Amino acid sequence: MLAVRRAVPADAGGCVAIVRGLPEFFTDDVAGKVAADLKVHPAWVAVNDGGLAGFAVVDRRSARAAAILWMAVAAPLRGGGVGTQLVDRVLRDLAESGVQVVEVKTLDASAGYEPYLATRAFWERRGFVQIDTIDPLPTWPPGNPAAIYVTALATTR
């Protein structure tokens, strides 16, 4: 049975292990960035009988806006609903705390990198809409155009 809860410091190693198990999605430096971000930003983890199944790290940008900085599901569990349950919980918790819009960045289609087709489709099925492409995005390696997605959790008008 899958449960989603707020992350605790002891979850950091499992989150880093998930990143390292997805080399087609994350460059070598990401594990360290995730570990650092887990220390300063709220995070959620999906846990099943086998341990940590996925995680999401969020940056609360303002009282009404947040960004999902990192999200990943363990390779053997991808496509099984873990990501959906994780994102649903994160978005519900953010909405309950007053967040109205959430941003996520991922690799843009113009990069032509096959593994991210499913990633973009995942976000779009969850109501995220691509509003821009930024290339180069500061802090991202050159040649990795960023697709900027947003979703509204509540009306902003």
Side-chain angles (χ1 to χ4, degrees):
M1 175 149 166
L2 187 74
V4 178
R5 62 169 170 75
R6 289 294 296 266
V8 296
D11 294 321
C15 296
V16 167
I18 289 172
V19 168
R20 289 190 175 133
L22 296 165
E24 66 277 20
F25 292 97
F26 298 110
T27 54
D28 292 339
D29 61 328
V30 170
K33 292 176 182 180
V34 167
D37 283 340
L38 282 164
K39 292 178 183 176
V40 296
H41 296 293
W44 288 255
V45 292
V47 182
N48 65 14
D49 296 336
L52 201 62
F55 72 94
V57 181
V58 173
D59 181 10
R60 186 77 178 251
R61 300 283 168 90
S62 71
R64 300 184 329 160
I68 298 173
L69 299 177
W70 306 105
M71 186 181 146
V73 171
L77 302 174
R78 288 176 50 87
V82 173
T84 297
Q85 289 184 52
L86 183 58
V87 168
D88 286 350
R89 170 68 185 273
V90 168
L91 296 180
R92 184 175 66 248
D93 287 358
L94 290 174
E96 288 173 0
S97 71
V99 170
Q100 294 173 288
V101 293
V102 178
E103 172 195 68
V104 68
K105 297 176 187 80
T106 192
L107 189 64
D108 188 71
S110 64
Y113 186 60
E114 181 77 23
Y116 275 86
L117 285 171
T119 301
R120 289 186 300 276
F122 171 85
W123 292 114
E124 291 167 5
R125 284 191 308 272
R126 264 124 221 105
F128 283 77
V129 176
Q130 185 173 355
I131 60 165
D132 204 355
T133 300
I134 300 175
D135 187 18
L137 181 70
T139 75
W140 280 34
N144 290 283
I148 312 300
Y149 281 85
V150 296
T151 193
L153 304 181
T155 184
T156 60
R157 298 181 64 169

